[in-house]
Amino acid sequence: MTRLDRLGLTLLAGGIGLGVVNVVTWALGRGMGTWRPPLSGVLMAAGLVLLSVGVMRGIRQRQEGD
């Protein structure tokens, strides 16, 4: 697992975790705030982009090795 993959997984996990916090605070009747939902989406999107870049690099390296 490359450093880029680990960073992508970290960002994705952070976004999902923040999303869970948003749902829990909403269910408890507390406000979600204005910055947490967009930040959660940005973290998840960035994590997915980094993971897809890592996958594409791996596919290219395998094709070049053949």
Side-chain angles (χ1 to χ4, degrees):
M1 182 179 289
T2 66
R3 185 174 181 218
L4 187 67
D5 293 336
R6 286 192 301 270
L7 180 60
L9 285 173
T10 301
L11 289 173
L12 185 60
I16 291 171
L18 190 56
V20 169
V21 168
N22 290 337
V23 171
V24 169
T25 57
W26 173 78
L28 293 174
R30 304 185 74 132
M32 281 193 291
T34 58
W35 59 272
R36 283 189 304 200
L39 179 60
S40 174
V42 167
L43 288 173
M44 285 189 275
L48 288 173
V49 167
L50 290 177
L51 286 173
S52 65
V53 166
V55 167
M56 293 306 295
R57 283 185 181 174
I59 290 171
R60 284 190 194 133
Q61 286 177 353
R62 282 192 188 145
Q63 288 176 348
E64 291 173 359
D66 291 343

